[in-house]
Amino acid sequence: MENFQNFLQSWPAERRAQGVARATSDKVLAALNKDTLQPADFLTLLSPAAGEHLEGMARKAHDLTLRYFGRAVNIFTPLYISDVCTNQCRYCGFNAKNKQARRHLSVDEAYAEARAIADMGFQHVLLLTGDAPKLSSPEYMASVARRIKPLFASVGVEVYSLTEAEYSLLIKAGVDSMTMFQETYNPELYAWLHPVGPKHDYGFRLNAPERAARAGMRSLGLGAL
Ligand code: SF4
């Protein structure tokens, strides 16, 4: 089955450069009039030829935002339930090499924090953990989610990459959204930024939203950095 990693590999730098070079003002207008865009259309819209159509692009983006999301502002609050981590991401203070006091909340402690957040009027909460699968296991996350779900309209997760079965477990526990940041789409740079630990596996992270979608996750948040 095609996955996002394979798809990205089918668009190497030379192919992307050709797509940009072929873009014209007419092609930009044609792309703006389409309801569904293909990868080549995105390259056209990112090309220098699109520079003179910024106003039209902004109008279309605004119309689509209103159509799909209305005039809603969705406020959520993050809740870190564990900052224990086995990775050594070069940009992060939770890097396993940093010797500092760490907290891993029990389910009761997580509930107390969630109760305080709910009492402030927040309806949406996002659970976060470091990447320590033995300690902050999917079962642990599911236990927290199940316990706090009655307090919120929505419980999301922003945690390490999971398997499809693990995402299913979270969904059954009441989780309805996942957010996944992808720090870079450059495999070499990714390997340098994540030298040690489970997050070193570029493909497993890149395909995580797809696995969550297959598991039936209602909402996916892509943090394309
Ligand atoms: S996996 Fe997350 S928490 Fe752990 S070091 Fe990397 S960015 Fe920080």
Side-chain angles (χ1 to χ4, degrees):
M1 184 195 298
E2 163 110 304
N3 61 34
F4 187 57
Q5 186 180 18
N6 296 339
F7 172 80
L8 266 191
Q9 284 167 350
S10 72
W11 284 91
E14 312 78 60
R15 191 177 175 198
R16 297 197 302 270
Q18 284 169 2
V20 166
R22 279 195 217 108
T24 62
S25 189
D26 284 346
K27 285 188 177 176
V28 174
L29 284 175
L32 277 176
N33 283 322
K34 287 184 182 179
D35 284 332
T36 306
L37 298 182
Q38 298 303 319
D41 297 316
F42 279 110
L43 287 175
T44 300
L45 293 176
L46 291 171
S47 73
E52 60 191 272
H53 298 287
L54 285 180
E55 190 58 41
M57 289 165 70
R59 257 200 314 276
K60 175 135 191 188
H62 178 70
D63 292 347
L64 289 173
T65 302
L66 279 184
R67 190 193 308 169
Y68 289 112
F69 303 107
R71 294 188 184 277
V73 176
N74 188 4
I75 296 178
F76 67 89
T77 188
L79 170 54
Y80 274 84
I81 54 177
S82 178
D83 64 1
V84 179
C85 192
T86 58
N87 285 320
Q88 294 180 17
C89 308
R90 293 184 192 268
Y91 47 80
C92 180
F94 293 154
N95 183 319
K97 278 204 294 198
N98 287 345
K99 299 301 167 214
Q100 62 203 35
R102 310 248 175 183
R103 284 298 309 274
H104 175 84
L105 301 186
S106 68
V107 175
D108 284 345
E109 287 172 326
Y111 181 83
E113 296 292 328
R115 175 85 260 173
I117 290 169
D119 286 347
M120 283 188 274
F122 286 99
Q123 293 279 305
H124 302 258
V125 72
L126 186 66
L127 297 178
L128 298 99
T129 68
D131 191 344
K134 284 193 184 141
L135 187 64
S136 302
S137 65
E139 291 74 19
Y140 161 72
M141 295 179 218
S143 299
V144 173
R146 209 174 291 115
R147 184 82 186 281
I148 70 171
K149 176 66 186 166
L151 301 175
F152 299 101
S154 166
V155 176
V157 289
E158 187 191 331
V159 298
Y160 55 89
S161 310
L162 302 174
T163 64
E164 190 176 327
E166 289 165 344
Y167 283 121
S168 288
L169 178 72
L170 295 189
I171 292 167
K172 285 190 192 104
V175 171
D176 55 31
S177 74
M178 69 85 83
T179 301
M180 180 61 68
F181 281 84
Q182 185 71 31
E183 289 76 12
T184 175
Y185 294 84
N186 176 323
E188 289 79 32
L189 180 58
Y190 185 92
W192 182 82
L193 286 169
H194 309 99
V196 174
K199 196 172 171 181
H200 183 70
D201 188 337
Y202 171 74
F204 193 63
R205 186 164 185 91
L206 197 61
N207 293 324
E210 205 171 309
R211 291 192 299 276
R214 275 204 300 268
M217 191 68 78
R218 191 173 68 82
S219 171
L220 307 176
L222 302 181
L225 299 175

